Amino acid sequence: MAKDVIIACDFSSAEQTLAFLDRFQGRKPFVKIGMELYYAAGPDIVREIKKRGHQIFLDLKLHDIPNTVRKAMAVLSHLDVDMCNVHAAGTIEMMKAGLEGLTREDGTRPLLIAVTQLTSTSEQRMHDDLLIGASMEETIAHYAENTRDAGLDGVVCSPLESPVIKSRCGENFITVTPGVRFADAAADDQVRITTPARARELGSDYIVVGRPITAAADPVAAYERCIKEFLG
Ligand code: C5P
């Protein structure tokens, strides 16, 4: 299975993003485009980055009624990205609709993964605000099983959750994991963090790395360090 480092390009304009990517003259990084950049720069920035030869994870976390998600995914399927996502909380029916919409007429489609519980949600908030009584680990494992049952390819989760998800959903079920920091760096606002090397040991398929690369004095060197530690 493909393993890679995905750079979270959390910039607010096309100019900033392209200037950042211009620095990478060797290996073309796999890039994550999130809501901030997509809402600022629209589908054009997706097409431009794709044209430059990068793989793209379009991280828009769709969550709506099944019919709306199906139609929105059908639109996104024409953007030729490599990975998209939805919220597993939208139900199995919604995830199936998303998968249907994303599948092109010739049967090809980008990878589709689901968010289980956001890493910003604590177990306490999940109990008190969402009225979910199960433990965080059980909730995440159950949402991952729903994702697998809907036919999706994997989930976004903490690297620390990869082992339990793989054991419940199978080794081929993809885990895409943010919350990665170098051993000698600041955690920023991330709480449950691991290093790229540890994420590899825990079985992550893709690590998503933002500020440790985008805010580094030398982003290309930081990216290469990630690749070396994660891919070995
Ligand atoms: O800068 P940093 O490495 O913390 O960036 C991590 C990226 O992964 C951000 O784009 C963040 O929105 C995203 N993410 C996350 N936790 C999740 C899902 C996505 O940190 N559960």
Side-chain angles (χ1 to χ4, degrees):
M1 201 189 307
K3 295 215 172 215
D4 212 343
V5 173
I6 302 178
I7 304 182
C9 284
D10 294 323
F11 300 112
S12 57
S13 73
E15 294 70 29
Q16 256 183 311
T17 309
L18 296 176
F20 172 76
L21 292 176
D22 277 344
R23 306 172 78 132
F24 295 83
Q25 292 301 323
R27 183 185 178 116
K28 299 264 182 193
F30 201 130
V31 164
K32 179 171 92 71
I33 298 176
M35 291 184 202
E36 184 186 8
L37 181 58
Y38 191 76
Y39 292 150
D44 284 348
I45 187 65
V46 178
R47 293 190 192 99
E48 177 60 31
I49 293 175
K50 193 72 200 175
K51 202 168 84 192
R52 292 171 173 225
H54 297 269
Q55 294 191 78
I56 298 176
F57 168 20
L58 190 56
D59 178 21
L60 298 181
K61 300 187 179 72
L62 275 67
H63 188 174
D64 209 315
I65 59 172
N67 187 52
T68 301
V69 171
R70 181 187 297 106
K71 288 176 160 177
M73 280 297 184
V75 174
L76 295 182
S77 75
H78 298 302
L79 277 180
D80 197 24
V81 297
D82 300 278
M83 191 185 287
C84 289
N85 62 355
V86 292
H87 269 283
T91 74
I92 294 177
E93 191 193 346
M94 189 211 77
M95 290 192 273
K96 282 184 175 166
L99 195 63
E100 242 175 67
L102 196 59
T103 306
R104 304 179 191 105
E105 277 183 9
D106 64 1
T108 62
R109 62 168 177 83
L111 291 173
L112 184 60
I113 60 172
V115 176
T116 54
Q117 281 292 334
L118 292 168
T119 43
S120 51
T121 307
S122 67
E123 191 161 81
Q124 194 64 46
R125 291 264 68 83
M126 190 181 74
H127 294 326
D128 296 351
D129 297 2
L130 308 182
L131 285 186
I132 296 173
S135 69
M136 181 61 84
E137 183 175 302
E138 186 50 35
T139 306
I140 286 171
H142 179 64
Y143 280 27
E145 285 172 341
N146 287 350
T147 304
R148 179 204 56 198
D149 293 348
L152 275 63
D153 304 293
V155 290
V156 185
C157 62
S158 154
L160 305 167
E161 292 153 5
S162 277
V164 67
I165 287 171
K166 295 267 184 187
S167 77
R168 298 268 290 252
C169 300
E171 273 308 306
N172 291 333
F173 192 69
I174 295 171
T175 56
V176 178
T177 66
V180 174
R181 291 294 180 268
F182 293 120
D184 51 6
D188 302 312
D189 54 354
Q190 295 282 12
V191 182
R192 302 182 69 215
I193 54 170
T194 50
T195 62
R198 183 78 186 121
R200 173 189 172 187
E201 286 164 14
L202 290 166
S204 296
D205 295 293
Y206 295 88
I207 53 172
V208 176
V209 187
R211 287 160 292 179
I213 295 175
T214 56
D218 184 344
V220 177
Y223 171 68
E224 278 163 6
R225 180 176 172 194
C226 265
I227 289 279
K228 199 158 162 245
E229 284 191 26
F230 183 62
L231 299 182

